[in-house]
Amino acid sequence: MNNSNQQDQAQGAPSAIPSFKEMVASGLIYRHITSLLALAGVITLGIGLIMWASKPDYVPIFDRLSNQDTQKIAESLRASGIPYQIENGSGLVLAPTDQLQKARMQLASEGFSSRDGVGVEMLQQEQSLGTSRFVETARYHHALETELSRTISNMRNVDSARLHLALPKQSVFIRDRAKPSASVMIKLMPGRSLEGGQVTSIVQMIASSVPHLESSQVTVVDQWGKLLSSGGDENGMDIASKQFDYARKLENVYAKRIEELLTPILGLGAIRAKVSAEVDFTLQEKTQEQFDPGEGKIRSEQTEEQSSNGSLAAIGIPGALSNQPPEAGTTDKDKNAKKDNAEQPTNVSTQAIRNFELDKTITHSRSSTGSLRKLSVAVLVDNKASTNEAGEETRTALTEEEITTVTNMVKGAIGFNQQRGDTVTVFNQAFQPVEQIEAVEGPAFYEQPWVWSMAKQVLVGLAILMLVIFLARPA
């Protein structure tokens, strides 16, 4: 009885677990499937956001690389365990921001640089046995060019440099030797220019680094195609350009000297000075020989004197009369004395040669080019600023005494020379007020890098919060 009752109760009582057909009929299974799909979507979204937020930002390691260098850098980073990516469009090698410096240091230790390729490191690589002498020479020339380019790139104001060497094969005969040459292209930093002696230093450094290379065979140009070094073959335009630059530099020196002298007295921006310099670039050579008009000193003297005395063997016209025997002697003294004086002729000859040493001065002078011929200075002075009793700033014109003082100071600053024809003009006039330049606004708040990083973290947090709420929600 009890068993039959229990069976009757089991058959009569409704089932607690609905069947699949009942679930389909009632639509419950669709709600469960929708909930599972939504849960899977939320989980997938959360995992994606977490991976997206944890993914580091990749930036280029170097901005100029060849395909060969890209492959070598990728192999080096792979061996070092540093993650990297290769950009599809440009082929640049990218590294995480937090590991960028580590990657660059690792590559620098292996000879890679952001500005050049492989230099002397190429010679340290293993060479095959079949390498020809031509290939070895070409590699050496390439390594030499790269090393010199690296050195030039390290100079101030220079962004990068590229060097080309033309090294012909030298002959054993000196007359048949060809001179090597070099050309350098320098890329300057934005808004910079090479200083005065930098071009000369670059030329001398290259000439000293390459055998048999003369400094006149080195040509230097910039990225705009401007010739910085003419290689020793200067034409008229090059000389005129250098003379013009020298004159302008001299004028700027004098103008800067005037402004530095008067600025502490008149105030910052209260003075404008312009200088016009006439420079004489004429080259003169003069040789002068001068003699002292005074009495000279005897350097050497030679005297010669000749004299002959006595009667001649035969005097007169040859013939019977001249061949007569001498007269007979006599004892009369007076008669013999007169006769001796009359018959003894005298011949005297004197010759003297004297050499005098004169004072002589020989002067060889060569005037230097670039001598200052004349200076013309114009100085514009603003009105003098002062504060009245009300605390307001007022400007008053300078008095005649103050203008005279300023003029004398300017003359002293430039080394005024009236005989040279220098002129100084000082003019007092109120300056126009300078318009205030508005400050450049920085990037917007939402453009800051830390804002995007924080946004990533917030999105991840919201996704996790939605996931937790969805899972914790009762059915």
Side-chain angles (χ1 to χ4, degrees):
M1 292 292 296
N2 294 333
N3 293 334
S4 61
N5 293 333
Q6 292 177 359
Q7 291 178 359
D8 295 337
Q9 292 178 359
Q11 292 178 356
S15 177
I17 300 176
S19 63
F20 179 76
K21 293 182 179 181
E22 295 177 353
M23 293 176 62
V24 172
S26 61
L28 182 62
I29 189 172
Y30 296 109
R31 290 195 297 270
H32 285 289
I33 292 175
T34 304
S35 300
L36 292 176
L37 293 176
L39 177 61
V42 172
I43 294 175
T44 304
L45 178 62
I47 295 174
L49 291 175
I50 293 174
M51 294 179 63
W52 173 66
S54 60
K55 182 179 179 181
D57 295 332
Y58 282 81
V59 293
I61 301 177
F62 298 142
D63 54 353
R64 293 184 299 271
L65 290 175
S66 61
N67 295 333
Q68 183 178 3
D69 293 337
T70 301
Q71 180 182 1
K72 293 180 180 180
I73 290 175
E75 293 177 356
S76 177
L77 295 177
R78 188 184 303 110
S80 303
I82 300 176
Y84 69 93
Q85 292 181 357
I86 298 179
E87 193 173 14
N88 295 328
S90 61
L92 296 177
V93 181
L94 310 178
T97 306
D98 54 348
Q99 299 188 18
L100 178 62
Q101 297 300 328
K102 180 181 178 181
R104 288 179 176 177
M105 293 176 62
Q106 175 65 27
L107 295 175
S109 63
E110 298 181 5
F112 292 97
S113 174
S114 61
R115 303 184 184 275
D116 46 42
V118 182
V120 180
E121 298 83 2
M122 179 185 299
L123 304 179
Q124 299 176 357
Q125 299 176 0
E126 296 182 0
Q127 306 294 336
S128 60
L129 296 177
T131 304
S132 63
R133 184 177 181 84
F134 174 78
V135 175
E136 292 179 352
T137 304
R139 288 180 177 177
Y140 170 73
H141 290 172
H142 177 71
L144 184 60
E145 292 174 350
T146 305
E147 291 297 327
L148 290 175
S149 300
R150 288 179 179 178
T151 305
I152 298 173
S153 300
N154 291 329
M155 291 185 176
R156 185 170 57 182
N157 301 333
V158 178
D159 182 58
S160 62
R162 188 173 180 83
L163 175 66
H164 301 279
L165 294 176
L167 304 178
K169 186 177 180 180
Q170 297 298 331
S171 174
V172 294
F173 301 100
I174 298 178
R175 62 185 178 183
D176 295 336
R177 288 185 177 178
K179 294 183 179 180
S181 60
S183 58
V184 190
M185 197 282 289
I186 297 177
K187 181 181 179 182
L188 302 176
M189 295 181 178
R192 303 291 183 88
S193 61
L194 290 179
E195 299 178 357
Q198 281 187 311
V199 177
T200 304
S201 302
I202 292 173
V203 172
Q204 295 298 330
M205 181 190 66
I206 297 174
S208 302
S209 303
V210 180
H212 309 293
L213 178 60
E214 300 177 359
S215 58
S216 60
Q217 301 297 323
V218 180
T219 304
V220 183
V221 297
D222 60 5
Q223 74 269 29
W224 307 110
K226 180 181 179 182
L227 184 63
L228 304 179
S229 174
S230 58
D233 298 333
E234 295 183 347
N235 51 24
M237 292 300 297
D238 294 336
I239 296 176
S241 178
K242 290 184 178 181
Q243 293 177 354
F244 179 80
D245 293 340
Y246 175 79
R248 299 293 83 77
K249 186 182 295 184
L250 186 63
E251 293 172 354
N252 293 334
V253 168
Y254 280 110
K256 185 177 180 181
R257 186 183 300 177
I258 295 171
E259 293 179 356
E260 289 179 352
L261 178 64
L262 298 179
T263 296
I265 301 175
L266 302 177
L268 183 63
I271 181 174
R272 296 291 186 273
K274 293 296 180 182
V275 180
S276 176
E278 294 184 8
V279 185
D280 186 10
F281 294 99
T282 305
L283 179 62
Q284 296 180 353
E285 293 186 5
K286 181 175 63 175
T287 301
Q288 186 176 9
E289 187 174 356
Q290 297 179 347
F291 295 91
D292 189 1
E295 182 179 359
K297 298 180 181 180
I298 298 177
R299 183 177 64 179
S300 63
E301 182 177 5
Q302 182 180 359
T303 304
E304 183 180 357
E305 183 176 355
Q306 295 179 358
S307 62
S308 60
N309 298 323
S311 61
L312 298 177
I315 300 175
I317 301 174
L321 296 178
S322 62
N323 292 331
Q324 295 294 328
E327 295 180 1
T330 180
T331 57
D332 191 355
K333 296 181 178 180
D334 295 334
K335 186 177 180 179
N336 292 333
K338 293 179 180 178
K339 185 177 180 180
D340 294 337
N341 292 333
E343 294 179 355
Q344 293 180 358
T346 303
N347 184 13
V348 179
S349 176
T350 304
Q351 183 179 3
I353 299 176
R354 294 184 178 89
N355 294 324
F356 293 90
E357 187 70 30
L358 301 178
D359 292 340
K360 180 175 66 174
T361 303
I362 299 177
T363 305
H364 181 77
S365 60
R366 180 178 180 180
S367 61
S368 60
T369 60
S371 59
L372 187 59
R373 182 183 298 173
K374 181 181 178 182
L375 280 177
S376 300
V377 183
V379 181
L380 181 62
V381 182
D382 192 9
N383 289 341
K384 182 172 57 177
S386 59
T387 305
N388 55 15
E389 297 179 356
E392 300 177 353
E393 182 179 357
T394 58
R395 292 186 174 272
T396 57
L398 273 67
T399 61
E400 293 294 334
E401 296 180 356
E402 292 175 340
I403 294 178
T404 303
T405 303
V406 172
T407 303
N408 294 332
M409 295 177 67
V410 172
K411 290 181 178 180
I414 65 173
F416 181 82
N417 189 351
Q418 189 174 2
Q419 297 179 355
R420 193 171 54 190
D422 296 349
T423 58
V424 175
T425 303
V426 179
F427 185 73
N428 175 223
Q429 182 67 34
F431 289 1
Q432 295 294 332
V434 180
E435 298 181 359
Q436 297 294 333
I437 301 176
E438 298 181 358
V440 179
E441 297 181 359
F445 173 77
Y446 56 85
E447 295 180 356
Q448 299 291 337
W450 61 271
V451 174
W452 290 101
S453 178
M454 183 177 293
K456 288 182 179 181
Q457 304 298 331
V458 172
L459 289 176
V460 172
L462 291 176
I464 295 175
L465 181 61
M466 292 174 60
L467 182 61
V468 171
I469 294 175
F470 184 82
L471 293 177
R473 187 179 62 182

